[in-house]
Amino acid sequence: MRPVILPGLLTILFTCLLVPNALAIDVNPDDITSLRDAAKTVASNMMQFYNDRDSKDIPGKLDGTWWEGGSMFMTLIQYWYLTGDDQFNDAIQEGMYWQKGENDFFPSNYSQYLGNDDQVFWGLAAITAAELNFPERDNEPSWVSLAEGVFNSQIPRWDMTSCGGGLRWQIWPYQNGFKLKNAISNGGLFQLSARLALYTKNATYAEWAEKIWDWSATTPLLRKTWVIADTTNVDANCKDHGDFQWTYNYATYICGAGYMHNYTNGEETKWLEGMSGLIKTSDQFFPDSASNQVISDITCEPIKKCDRNQKTFKSYFTSWLGFMSLIVPTNTTADMMARFKTSAVAAGQQCSGGRDGKHCGIRWTKRTEWDGTSGLEQEMSVLGVLNAVMVPFKARAPFNTHNGGNSQSRPHGESDTEDTPGPITTGDKVGAGILTAMFVIFWAGAVSWMVKDK
Ligand SMILES: *[C@@H]1O[C@H](CO)[C@@H](O)[C@H](O)[C@H]1NC(C)=O
Ligand SMILES: *[C@@H]1O[C@H](CO)[C@@H](O)[C@H](O)[C@H]1NC(C)=O
Ligand SMILES: *[C@@H]1O[C@H](CO)[C@@H](O)[C@H](O)[C@H]1NC(C)=O
Ligand SMILES: *[C@@H]1O[C@H](CO)[C@@H](O)[C@H](O)[C@H]1NC(C)=O
C-alpha cells in the first residue's frame, strides 16, 4: 500500500524540479539581438559537450558517432553567418578538414561502416560553407570541391541491380541496411546535387538531382500523396515501405526541390508543386498538443524514444527550410516560417535543464516543462530553429559562382587548377592498396557468410 504522504512529497519534488524553469532561455523571435543571445548560449553549450568528449584528440569525431560531427559543423557555420560570432570557426575548419578523407568525407578510419547518409551530411556541411562564404584555409581543398567529392563518390553507387536505380542506405553488404533504399540517403544526395547545381551552374548536378527525384517517385520514398516512406526493401523490388515519419526526410526533399525551382528559374512547375505538397504533408509534425505551431518528431517524441540521431532531425528541417525561404516565392514558406518563430520560443522554454538552468530538452511542445534530457543533440536542434528564425534578418540569398561565392568548383580535385596533376605520394598509394585489399577480403568474407547463411 502506498503511504498517503507520497502525493504530497511528489508535489514538493515536482515543484523543486520546476523551479529552474524560471531560468530557461528567453527568445523574442522578432528581435535579432534576443535571437543572437539565445543562439550564443545554445551554441556555447553545444561546444561544451564537444570539448568534453573522450575523443577530443580527433578533430570532428564525436564519441560513438561520426556523422553528427558533420551536421554539427553545418549548424555552426549557419550560426557564424547569421550572428557574426566567429569563436568556433577554428574548431569548424579543423574538424571539417581533418575528416575530409580523400576530399570526399569518407575517411578510412570509419569508412568500413559508414552509410551513404552519414557521408552526405558532411557534404551538405561543405556546400553550406560554400554558400555562406565560410572562410577557407590556404592549401586545403575548397568547400565546393569537398561537396563535389561526396557527389562523385556517391554517384558510382547508384544501384541499377535492383529497383531500377537508387542509392542503398548502407554501402557494404555486411552492414545491416544494405538491402534497404532509404529516403535520407536518396533525399540527401538529391539535395546536395540541387545545391551544387545552383552554386556551380554545372548541369550535371541538376540532371542527377532530377534523376534522383524521379526515381524516388517510382517508389514509396516519394509518393504522389507527398507522403515519404523512411525505407523500402530491394527484396520487395522497392514496393514495400517502412513508414516511420521523420522531419528530416521531408526536409531533404523539400529543400532539394526548392533549390531546383530556383535553378530552373521556376520554369518547371514540378519543383514548386513538389515542394508545396511536401510542406503541406509536413503539417503532421506540428501536433495539436501545441496548437499546431511547435515542431515535433512525432514518431519518437510522444513515446520518449528518440535516439541521439533522431534528436537532431528538427535542426535540419528548420534551418534548411529557413535558408531555402530566400530562394523560393515568399508565400510558399511564410506559414512555415511563422511556425518556426513559435517553435523557437517553445524551444527556448525547453532550455531550463542542467547546472546552469539553460540546457535544452528535446520536446519543445512541452514548453516550460523541461523533459529532463540534455545533450549535444538537443542543443543542435535548438540552434537549428534559432538559425531558421534569424535567416530573414540577414535576408541574403546563398552565394554562388555568379554572385560573389568565393569557393571554387574543382570536381576532379586540386589538379583542376594545375597544369599537371597533383603529386600522389607512394604513401597514399600503399595506403589505398592496403585498404582496397582489406575491403576485398571483408567483402568476400561477408558475401560468403551471407551465402552460407542462406
Ligand atoms: C584515425 O585514427 C587515428 C588513430 O586513432 C587518429 O590519430 C586519427 O586522427 C584518425 N583520423 C580521423 C580522420 O579521424
Ligand atoms: C531565386 O533566388 C533569387 C535570390 O533570392 C531570387 O531573386 C529569385 O527570384 C529566385 N528565383 C525564383 C524562380 O524564385
Ligand atoms: C503564392 O502566390 C502565387 C501568386 O500570387 C499563387 O499562384 C500561389 O497559389 C500562392 N501559393 C501559396 C502556397 O499560397
Ligand atoms: C560538372 O560536374 C561533374 C561532376 O562533378 C564533373 O565531372 C564535370 O567535369 C563538371 N563540368 C565542368 C564543366 O566543370
Side-chain angles (χ1 to χ4, degrees):
M1 223 175 139
R2 279 159 198 264
V4 185
I5 193 161
L6 199 58
L9 262 180
L10 272 178
T11 313
I12 295 169
L13 232 136
F14 272 111
T15 318
C16 292
L17 285 173
L18 286 174
V19 169
N21 286 339
L23 300 164
I25 297 180
D26 250 337
V27 174
N28 177 349
D30 299 309
D31 175 15
I32 185 63
T33 309
S34 161
L35 288 166
R36 283 187 179 150
D37 288 349
K40 187 171 185 173
T41 304
V42 175
S44 302
N45 278 339
M46 180 170 80
M47 288 310 271
Q48 196 69 53
F49 284 107
Y50 180 65
N51 294 332
D52 287 348
R53 73 199 191 280
D54 292 338
S55 54
K56 56 177 164 296
D57 293 339
I58 307 182
K61 176 67 175 71
L62 307 187
D63 296 334
T65 175
W66 179 76
W67 80 280
E68 277 185 28
S71 62
M72 181 186 78
F73 292 133
M74 174 169 68
T75 315
L76 282 172
I77 290 165
Q78 297 167 341
Y79 166 80
W80 157 78
Y81 177 75
L82 295 163
T83 63
D85 179 4
D86 62 5
Q87 63 172 310
F88 309 119
N89 285 14
D90 282 342
I92 300 168
Q93 289 180 329
E94 181 125 337
M96 294 273 290
Y97 292 134
W98 197 266
Q99 296 301 330
K100 70 182 185 232
E102 294 179 17
N103 298 348
D104 56 0
F105 291 116
F106 203 55
S108 56
N109 279 8
Y110 320 109
S111 54
Q112 317 86 276
Y113 63 81
L114 295 182
N116 283 306
D117 49 353
D118 299 313
Q119 184 188 23
V120 86
F121 267 88
W122 288 83
L124 291 167
I127 191 66
T128 303
E131 288 170 353
L132 303 183
N133 265 349
F134 184 72
E136 295 179 346
R137 281 188 187 166
D138 292 343
N139 307 317
E140 285 288 357
S142 71
W143 299 126
V144 183
S145 71
L146 289 173
E148 290 174 313
V150 171
F151 173 91
N152 281 315
S153 86
Q154 295 209 336
I155 291 301
R157 298 185 198 135
W158 188 256
D159 170 43
M160 294 303 292
T161 66
S162 60
C163 314
L167 278 188
R168 290 174 185 252
W169 174 18
Q170 297 297 325
I171 297 165
W172 310 113
Y174 51 82
Q175 288 279 88
N176 261 339
F178 180 69
K179 293 202 159 186
L180 297 177
K181 298 195 172 174
N182 65 343
I184 194 62
S185 298
N186 287 284
L189 183 59
F190 166 62
Q191 190 192 129
L192 182 68
S193 307
R195 290 169 72 172
L196 278 169
L198 190 59
Y199 189 97
T200 65
K201 314 294 178 205
N202 176 335
T204 303
Y205 299 122
E207 283 156 20
W208 270 99
E210 183 151 27
K211 182 168 169 160
I212 300 164
W213 174 275
D214 289 350
W215 174 82
S216 300
T218 68
T219 75
L221 299 182
L222 187 61
R223 293 183 176 93
K224 299 209 166 40
T225 52
W226 304 120
V227 173
I228 292 183
D230 188 42
T231 58
T232 186
N233 200 307
V234 300
D235 285 344
N237 200 24
C238 295
K239 299 286 178 231
D240 73 338
H241 36 91
D243 273 332
F244 285 136
Q245 298 292 293
W246 301 113
T247 51
Y248 81 154
N249 284 337
Y250 282 78
T252 46
Y253 281 100
I254 290 171
C255 284
Y259 277 77
M260 285 305 287
H261 164 76
N262 198 278
Y263 173 81
T264 56
N265 271 319
E267 280 154 21
E268 277 185 70
T269 53
K270 80 193 250 188
W271 300 121
L272 210 52
E273 265 170 36
M275 192 196 87
S276 302
L278 290 168
I279 287 180
K280 190 88 197 85
T281 45
S282 300
D283 278 350
Q284 64 178 316
F285 300 116
F286 295 82
D288 291 346
S289 62
S291 315
N292 309 108
Q293 298 299 307
V294 178
I295 188 169
S296 166
D297 257 298
I298 50 170
T299 298
C300 66
E301 287 189 34
I303 55 168
K304 301 187 209 160
K305 287 252 154 61
C306 299
D307 67 22
R308 65 187 298 189
N309 302 318
Q310 293 153 3
K311 285 178 180 147
T312 69
F313 292 172
K314 297 200 294 284
S315 180
Y316 320 129
F317 188 96
T318 52
S319 66
W320 287 343
L321 267 72
F323 276 97
M324 185 198 73
S325 71
L326 299 171
I327 57 168
V328 296
T330 326
N331 67 347
T332 57
T333 53
D335 181 52
M336 193 54 88
M337 291 301 280
R339 284 188 270 180
F340 288 169
K341 285 189 183 184
T342 314
S343 299
V345 175
Q349 291 171 328
Q350 250 314 286
C351 300
S352 58
R355 256 170 289 126
D356 63 347
K358 303 255 183 250
H359 277 69
C360 310
I362 197 62
R363 297 178 67 192
W364 306 344
T365 49
K366 289 171 74 78
R367 293 181 177 270
T368 52
E369 195 191 329
W370 179 49
D371 70 8
T373 72
S374 63
L376 184 147
E377 291 80 6
Q378 283 87 331
E379 305 299 321
M380 199 197 297
S381 259
V382 177
L383 189 54
V385 76
L386 292 170
N387 286 344
V389 176
M390 284 192 282
V391 164
F393 290 94
K394 189 90 175 181
R396 202 210 162 286
F399 286 101
N400 61 56
T401 43
H402 291 186
N403 73 1
N406 294 328
S407 196
Q408 299 294 315
S409 166
R410 279 175 209 134
H412 309 292
E414 297 309 292
S415 56
D416 279 16
T417 54
E418 295 165 12
D419 294 337
T420 50
I424 296 170
T425 64
T426 317
D428 285 344
K429 276 191 205 147
V430 172
I434 291 171
L435 266 174
T436 310
M438 272 171 57
F439 279 142
V440 169
I441 292 164
F442 259 136
W443 191 299
V447 169
S448 62
W449 177 80
M450 286 193 329
V451 169
K452 262 190 248 147
D453 206 34
K454 276 181 191 150

